[in-house]
Amino acid sequence: MRTMVKETYQMLKLNLKNVLIFELFYRLITGSIYLQLLNYGIRFSLKMAGYSYLTLENLGAFLLKPRTILTIFFLALIGLLIMLVEIGSLITAYSGAAYSMHIGPMELLFGGIHNLMDEIRRKNAALVGIALIDVTLINFYFCYRILNHVKPLDFILKVMLEKMWVCVLLLVLLILFIVIAIPTIFTFHGCMIEQKSFRDSVNRSMDLLKGRMVRTVFELIFSQVILTGMLILVYLLGTLLVAVFVVLFVDKKLEFAFLMEAGNRIEWVILFCAGIASGVVHFAAVTVQYYQYDCRMNHEERWDFHYSETVPVSKKNAVILLAAVGAVSGFCLFDTAYNGNFISNSVTMQTEITAHRGSSKTAPENTMAALTAAVEELADRAEIDVQETLDGQVVLCHDTTLKRVSGVDKKVADLSGEELRQLDVGAWFSDQFIGESIPTLDEVMEYAKGKITLNIEIKNLGSASALPEKVLQLVEDHEMQDQCVITSTSLNYLKRIKEQQPEIKTGYIISAAYGNYYSNDAIDFISIRSGFITDRLIRDAHQSGKTVHAWTVNSKSELERLKALG
């Protein structure tokens, strides 16, 4: 065991810097591009299926749609090809290291692509299945942790694992994966190094494993256990340092929220690094075993993996890769972070913290101060109310008149935007906010973009009002289609929104539930008084691909009742 660990370290050491540079940039580039492909793929599938959201009730029907099956197959195939290039690149690095060859990051990429093209020419299609099985087993624990952090996959996973038949099925599948993976451990090396066919590579792998299978598996598991332990230690250390920082520098009221958010971010980074490290270590260990077992079969001395010299990373290759990341991955990641992502914001039903009229307990409602406070308090979304002024400006205000927030007994529609700006809507809240003014929706969007998503409630000003079209135009001007939902008590408004921009998510605000209103194509979700929510309403709405937003829930018993209803 000690010899194996030492030789694996020697195998890694020669090209480690170049391998890590390649892995980091390759994961960032392919990951960000693949995320966008998933984004558009799911968007397309949902549109073809006629759903706005995925829920447990409609998930089965959605997955059985022919277009959904074809989309999933296409996306899975692309993902597997990306994995095969990565595996081919690692084998290029380690087979080169076995002969003391220093291989740069770009050479690793071209080596991986070349290996993939060779396997396609030799029609080794079954290698794709082996890649899926190997990557799943290598990253089994890390994948489980990721699923526990993605809403609503964490909820779906929990619900599914409560069913005995699901647990049995997963156990059988896991055993099947293991049974297939063990005899085929060296198949990639047979295909990519010895240029054999898939069947011959499997036979070659089984020959190398004769009398060594238990030891081989134990050594590979041991290397992953050591790696996992090191990553857990790094996570705990990082969390400890963040906890110290939070206690020393963060507002007492927000300590817990910041610590939870920071811990979550740290774990995401650790999981990303773990995905890289697990593959790097696994294929290094397998390559060491491959060469040593081959020497034993041929009655030769052990392969010498000791290399006395190392070379620095090629600056030219590093610059080229960095430029590629900046041009491709940077754009995709920026687009996802700044403009929102359809998967996280629209497709899945998830629990979010919404700041009502901004953080209206911290600052005066529907003001920039309330919106800023919502961002600082880590709210996922801010709900705001919009109306139209005398001169056609879209501004934030909940009440029809301004008396409650400014002391002026006039309607918003009777004053111009400039006249509204002269009103003080902060003094009623506290002296701290004296002079706070009513903001325009344009100002709010300019601030909110990339910081917080918005739930824009359009107040019903009558069918003749052009307010819905003006709000939609502002959303499009700021390119916040994936960062906004639009709600209203007026179904007519929502229909007009959908006619012009079907991709915008809309919510119908109702006080009571009568009829089959949730099947209306102009509605993506319903917002309803909690007392009217029943099990049947939830079930029917979810089957129609709609989600249900409940208000107002101010007691623990009502919270528990709604939670039980799903």
Side-chain angles (χ1 to χ4, degrees), residues 350-363:
Q350 54 186 329
T351 302
E352 294 181 329
I353 297 172
T354 298
H356 186 225
R357 306 178 195 174
S359 184
S360 52
K361 189 176 181 179
T362 305

Side-chain angles (χ1 to χ4, degrees), residues 36 39-40 43 52-53 335-347 350 352 380-381 445 448-450 452-456 472 474-476 478-486 501-505:
Q36 293 298 80
N39 177 18
Y40 292 115
R43 185 194 295 267
S52 301
Y53 291 91
D335 181 60
T336 298
Y338 194 61
N339 294 320
N341 183 270
F342 186 69
I343 297 174
S344 60
N345 294 340
S346 303
V347 177
Q350 54 186 329
E352 294 181 329
D380 300 295
R381 176 177 292 169
M445 285 188 157
K449 188 173 175 66
I452 191 170
T453 59
L454 298 175
N455 177 346
I456 306 171
L472 181 59
L474 284 168
V475 171
E476 292 177 345
H478 288 274
E479 298 181 344
M480 291 180 68
Q481 291 89 334
D482 283 337
Q483 276 189 264
C484 292
V485 298
I486 296 177
Q501 180 54 270
E503 301 299 328
I504 291 286
K505 296 307 169 188

Side-chain angles (χ1 to χ4, degrees), residues 37-233:
L37 285 176
L38 287 174
N39 177 18
Y40 292 115
I42 294 179
R43 185 194 295 267
F44 170 78
S45 299
L46 284 171
K47 185 176 181 180
M48 292 297 101
Y51 294 139
S52 301
Y53 291 91
L54 290 182
T55 65
L56 287 176
E57 284 76 7
N58 67 24
L59 183 61
F62 170 74
L63 293 175
L64 292 176
K65 299 281 185 182
R67 287 189 177 91
T68 303
I69 294 172
L70 287 174
T71 302
I72 291 174
F73 174 79
F74 174 73
L75 292 172
L77 181 61
I78 291 177
L80 289 170
L81 292 177
I82 289 172
M83 285 193 292
L84 273 176
V85 170
E86 183 177 6
I87 291 171
S89 299
L90 291 175
I91 288 178
T92 298
Y94 299 139
S95 60
Y99 293 93
S100 305
M101 294 172 59
H102 297 283
I103 304 176
M106 290 300 294
E107 294 172 291
L108 292 178
L109 176 61
F110 293 140
I113 295 172
H114 178 74
N115 281 332
L116 174 62
M117 298 306 296
D118 278 351
E119 301 315 314
I120 292 174
R121 280 193 292 268
R122 287 198 294 271
K123 299 180 179 179
N124 286 338
L127 205 60
V128 173
I130 301 300
L132 173 62
I133 291 172
D134 279 10
V135 170
T136 300
L137 292 176
I138 294 168
N139 296 281
F140 183 79
Y141 174 74
F142 306 126
C143 288
Y144 174 75
R145 293 301 304 166
I146 289 173
L147 289 175
N148 273 284
H149 280 281
V150 178
K151 298 175 181 179
L153 295 181
D154 57 343
F155 172 68
I156 295 175
L157 183 65
K158 180 182 177 181
V159 171
M160 296 298 285
L161 290 178
E162 289 175 354
K163 301 179 184 297
M164 180 58 69
W165 69 269
V166 173
C167 294
V168 172
L169 180 63
L170 288 175
L171 182 60
V172 170
L173 191 64
L174 180 62
I175 293 172
L176 180 63
F177 273 24
I178 293 172
V179 169
I180 295 173
I182 292 176
T184 58
I185 285 175
F186 302 113
T187 302
F188 287 108
H189 295 74
C191 289
M192 295 182 178
I193 295 178
E194 300 182 28
Q195 305 292 298
K196 294 179 179 290
S197 67
F198 178 78
R199 178 172 295 183
D200 290 342
S201 296
V202 172
N203 292 332
R204 170 70 165 153
S205 178
M206 294 176 71
D207 288 340
L208 290 171
L209 284 168
K210 283 181 181 177
R212 309 182 184 96
M213 188 173 292
V214 175
R215 177 182 176 180
T216 301
V217 174
F218 179 76
E219 287 178 345
L220 294 178
I221 292 175
F222 182 74
S223 65
Q224 291 297 317
V225 169
I226 292 176
L227 176 64
T228 303
M230 292 172 62
L231 291 168
I232 291 174
L233 187 62

